[in-house]
Amino acid sequence: MNIPKLYKKFHVDKEHTSIGLFVALNAKYSINKVFYPGSHVHITPSLVFREVIYADSFKNTFKFFEDPETIAFLVANKRYEEEAIFRFYQQDYERSFEGLGNDFDLVISQYAGFVGQAVKSYLKIGGLLVCNNSHGDASLALLDPSYQLIAVYKRLADDKFTISAESLEDYMIPKNGVLPIREDIIAKRRGIAYTRSPSGYIFKKVKD
């Protein structure tokens, strides 16, 4: 089965499909419905999770999701028996999404800005925000009373990942000893430098 060209270029060839992250999340948590704003062509979640909603504003990305080659690849490589459910929105994630409810189990934020803030209303109470801190999304989530840090994840060799909830108090400690201010993070659009830096963080939404 052919690998879609853009997916191969941006993820497979760079050995960064993150399949191990989604497998680890699926094994540890109860996840059925996933929202992935700022996804571009990163379709790996649909290989693990049955229902995934994607969104990106990059020009003509919708063509990738409508391509029969993409659909055939997902059907041939998904790790579940049920029919894959996926939909793509060609739009900026800061705009409202027509037809989406607040019942997502997981929001994925990877190198796409403040996703966890922009789409928080679509995540159900108890749902998870999985994010890194390249653009400050994890830093903002830590300051947001709607979220609670429950675990960190680390990438190992061969695209495998581990998830740990141990010693969380040792993470997200600013290197300069100064607690970040929300407005500064938003203005700079980058994450705070911390004394320990895992690959990413897992937050649970605890209230609206």
Side-chain angles (χ1 to χ4, degrees), residues 118-134:
V119 304
K120 182 169 54 177
S121 62
Y122 301 104
L123 187 63
K124 71 180 185 181
I125 300 297
L128 304 177
L129 167 67
V130 171
C131 60
N132 57 40
N133 201 36
S134 64

Side-chain angles (χ1 to χ4, degrees), residues 161-199:
F161 286 75
T162 61
I163 296 174
S164 175
E166 297 181 1
S167 303
L168 294 180
E169 67 278 3
D170 295 337
Y171 292 93
M172 306 197 85
I173 300 174
K175 281 186 176 180
N176 63 7
V178 179
L179 293 176
I181 298 174
R182 175 183 171 86
E183 289 72 21
D184 288 345
I185 298 171
I186 293 174
K188 295 176 181 178
R189 299 194 69 83
R190 66 173 183 268
I192 300 299
Y194 294 117
T195 56
R196 296 184 67 180
S197 297
S199 301

Side-chain angles (χ1 to χ4, degrees), residues 92-131:
D92 190 311
Y93 61 72
E94 292 187 349
R95 290 170 46 202
S96 61
F97 287 86
E98 184 178 351
L100 294 190
N102 59 349
D103 57 347
F104 285 91
D105 302 299
L106 171 66
V107 164
I108 300 171
S109 172
Q110 300 287 294
Y111 307 101
F114 306 131
V115 171
Q117 300 299 305
V119 304
K120 182 169 54 177
S121 62
Y122 301 104
L123 187 63
K124 71 180 185 181
I125 300 297
L128 304 177
L129 167 67
V130 171
C131 60

Side-chain angles (χ1 to χ4, degrees), residues 5-85:
K5 294 180 181 64
L6 289 177
Y7 180 62
K8 184 176 185 297
K9 175 183 177 180
F10 288 108
H11 298 286
V12 176
D13 289 349
K14 294 181 179 181
E15 298 183 349
H16 210 289
T17 67
S18 296
I19 184 71
L21 173 59
F22 303 121
V23 168
L25 288 167
N26 193 43
K28 190 173 181 64
Y29 304 105
S30 178
I31 298 173
N32 296 304
K33 192 172 182 180
V34 179
F35 191 18
Y36 192 175
S39 63
H40 192 222
V41 297
H42 190 202
I43 54 171
T44 310
S46 284
L47 302 180
V48 178
F49 305 113
R50 184 192 181 196
E51 184 172 0
V52 186
I53 306 300
Y54 300 87
D56 203 281
S57 60
F58 193 81
K59 186 178 180 180
N60 292 328
T61 304
F62 73 92
K63 294 180 180 179
F64 171 83
F65 285 87
E66 294 178 354
D67 192 326
E69 185 179 57
T70 301
I71 298 170
F73 174 77
L74 291 180
V75 170
N77 292 278
K78 60 185 176 67
R79 301 188 178 195
Y80 45 88
E81 295 297 326
E82 300 87 352
E83 181 180 357
I85 300 172

